[in-house]
Amino acid sequence: MSDSGAVLPWLVIRQDDNGNRYRVGRYTTQEEAQRAADKLDGHGHKQLYWVERIGQSARPQ
């Protein structure tokens, strides 16, 4: 790791109506990522948002 970059191991993932998945943000802590996912999820769209750690793909059931 270089001194110039922050460690951002937590991802917010979005899945659209067609099953396409996108990374929409990277965060330092799980709590920070979850707050972002909850905020996006609260917009009332049909997309699904969840948090995962880099290297641990765990799509919600």
Side-chain angles (χ1 to χ4, degrees):
M1 182 174 85
S2 71
D3 291 331
S4 63
V7 176
L8 302 172
W10 293 96
L11 302 173
V12 173
I13 308 293
R14 176 180 71 112
Q15 182 171 310
D16 66 18
D17 297 340
N18 297 316
N20 299 309
R21 294 174 61 183
Y22 306 94
R23 285 182 281 177
V24 296
R26 292 181 66 169
Y27 300 89
T28 305
T29 67
Q30 183 178 11
E31 293 78 17
E32 183 182 19
Q34 190 62 57
R35 280 193 303 272
D38 291 344
K39 184 175 180 180
L40 290 166
D41 196 42
H43 287 221
H45 299 288
K46 295 182 182 179
Q47 288 84 13
L48 174 66
Y49 294 91
W50 69 90
V51 172
E52 63 185 48
R53 188 172 176 89
I54 292 176
Q56 296 179 341
S57 180
R59 184 174 153 207
Q61 302 296 321

